[in-house]
Amino acid sequence: MELRRLRYFLMVAEELHFGRAAERLGLAQPPLSQQIRALEAEIGERLFERTSRRVALTPAGAALLPHVREALGAAAAGLEASRRAARGEGEPLVVAFLHSLAYTLLPRLLPAFRQAHSEIPLVLREMDSAQQVESLAAGQIEIGLLRPPIDHRLVESAPLLSEPFVVAIPSHHKLAKRKRIAVAALNNAPMVLYPPNAGPQGFAHKLAGWFASEGVAPQAVQEARTLHTAVGLVAAGIGIALVPASVAKLGVPGIVFRALASQAPEAEVCVAWHRGSKSRSVTAFRSLARRLFVGGRGSNVVELA
């Protein structure tokens, strides 16, 4: 059954006059009459009583009318929903982020996105980097704000910013009195480190290379699989730790954060998405994020406050 014929039927039913219905439809009256007869033949019932003086719905036509209105309304709503989806409107965009970024990147990024794309609702989920990669690959989230490296064939990424590692120190520790920490002070210092295969992505390898280049051999007293754990162990007095500068924004009691006196290694943050995504919302989000955070020299640097 053609929607076109249903639309013709509805117009005649509303006007109860073939001439006026044809005028509203922009048709000549004979083709309209022909289409109504074809619809009646398809249904097997007469839909209108026609006389020289009047047109009236038959019982079959009156029964059909509300269903035709419903069907045409649903078709129009479906077409509009399709157009909105193609424009990236209406459907929420699911964005995952690291806990530490809630105090640094998100306060700048989210208001800017909402202002530029108020038609796109956002759903936010806190996840670590490994969880984000798996969720992106599985299509459970659409955008990830995480730390590289990203080793998955279904996930693409682009750099957003970098931030230096700083030293997290128990507030009662002797190093807490210093404004900046010399690299030499880390030699043989009891330290919370990151396991190479389970900790925050890339941290173990990055820090090990930096320690070697600086001639530093820290004393590993504990491994932390997450930044939350590392900070908690520092607060408990287990040792000191190197963490990205954004962690200092968390305001953890019992800890002070100090910059390194020499050039510190940096932790990167990137925006990631599913390699096969054709969503305009995803494109809009990652483009805005890149415009906000990627400067002329390739990255924006978050410094310790």
Side-chain angles (χ1 to χ4, degrees):
M1 185 175 292
E2 297 181 19
L3 287 177
R4 175 171 57 101
R5 287 177 179 167
L6 294 182
R7 187 161 60 91
Y8 293 170
F9 164 78
L10 178 61
M11 200 65 68
V12 176
E14 289 179 346
E15 293 291 339
L16 293 178
H17 190 284
F18 275 80
R20 290 195 297 270
E23 186 177 350
R24 285 180 63 185
L25 290 165
L27 295 174
Q29 185 173 332
L32 175 59
S33 299
Q34 182 181 6
Q35 290 298 320
I36 293 299
R37 285 194 295 270
L39 179 61
E40 290 175 325
E42 184 176 358
I43 294 173
E45 298 289 345
R46 285 197 309 152
L47 301 174
F48 296 100
E49 295 284 358
R50 306 169 181 83
T51 69
S52 58
R53 295 189 169 204
R54 63 189 291 269
V55 174
L57 285 165
T58 65
L64 179 63
L65 180 58
H67 298 287
V68 168
R69 285 197 174 106
E70 182 179 352
L72 291 176
L79 288 173
E80 179 58 23
S82 178
R83 294 186 185 106
R84 287 174 63 85
R87 295 193 300 265
E89 300 176 8
E91 289 297 317
L93 180 67
V94 185
V95 178
F97 64 95
L98 298 172
H99 178 67
S100 60
L101 300 182
Y103 297 84
T104 53
L105 185 146
L106 293 191
R108 183 177 172 192
L109 175 55
L110 296 188
F113 184 79
R114 287 187 172 120
Q115 182 176 4
H117 300 282
S118 59
E119 77 281 3
I120 304 176
L122 293 177
V123 174
L124 303 177
R125 296 181 182 172
E126 183 184 337
M127 297 180 177
D128 66 31
S129 293
Q131 290 172 329
Q132 289 189 45
V133 171
E134 292 304 316
S135 296
L136 284 167
Q140 297 167 342
I141 62 174
E142 293 164 282
I143 288 286
L145 299 170
L146 68 164
R147 301 189 190 278
I150 297 170
D151 186 19
H152 201 296
R153 63 182 180 84
L154 294 179
V155 180
E156 288 189 90
S157 66
L160 284 185
L161 57 84
S162 61
E163 53 183 330
F165 281 90
V166 297
V167 188
I169 307 169
S171 55
H172 62 269
H173 195 284
K174 62 182 181 180
L175 292 178
K177 298 178 182 179
R178 304 183 186 182
K179 290 186 178 181
R180 300 176 75 84
I181 306 300
V183 176
L186 303 180
N187 198 39
N188 294 318
M191 186 170 287
V192 177
L193 298 177
Y194 305 101
N197 299 319
Q201 291 190 326
F203 282 13
H205 178 74
K206 181 185 292 288
L207 292 178
W210 182 74
F211 289 144
S213 68
E214 295 289 337
V216 170
Q219 178 189 347
V221 293
Q222 184 66 48
E223 288 188 339
R225 297 168 65 93
T226 69
L227 285 172
H228 290 87
T229 302
V231 169
L233 292 172
V234 172
I238 301 299
I240 64 177
L242 291 181
V243 298
S246 58
V247 175
K249 303 287 186 182
L250 304 182
V252 182
I255 296 181
V256 297
F257 297 89
R258 298 289 183 260
L260 287 160
S262 61
Q263 182 66 40
E266 293 185 348
E268 295 80 22
V269 175
C270 64
V271 57
W273 61 95
H274 192 285
R275 185 175 297 276
S277 174
K278 292 180 172 54
S279 166
R280 295 189 182 184
S281 297
V282 169
T283 300
F285 190 96
R286 74 185 195 226
S287 297
L288 178 63
R290 294 273 292 165
R291 286 199 303 272
L292 281 177
F293 292 101
V294 179
R297 64 188 181 88
S299 66
N300 204 349
V301 179
V302 175
E303 296 291 352
L304 178 63

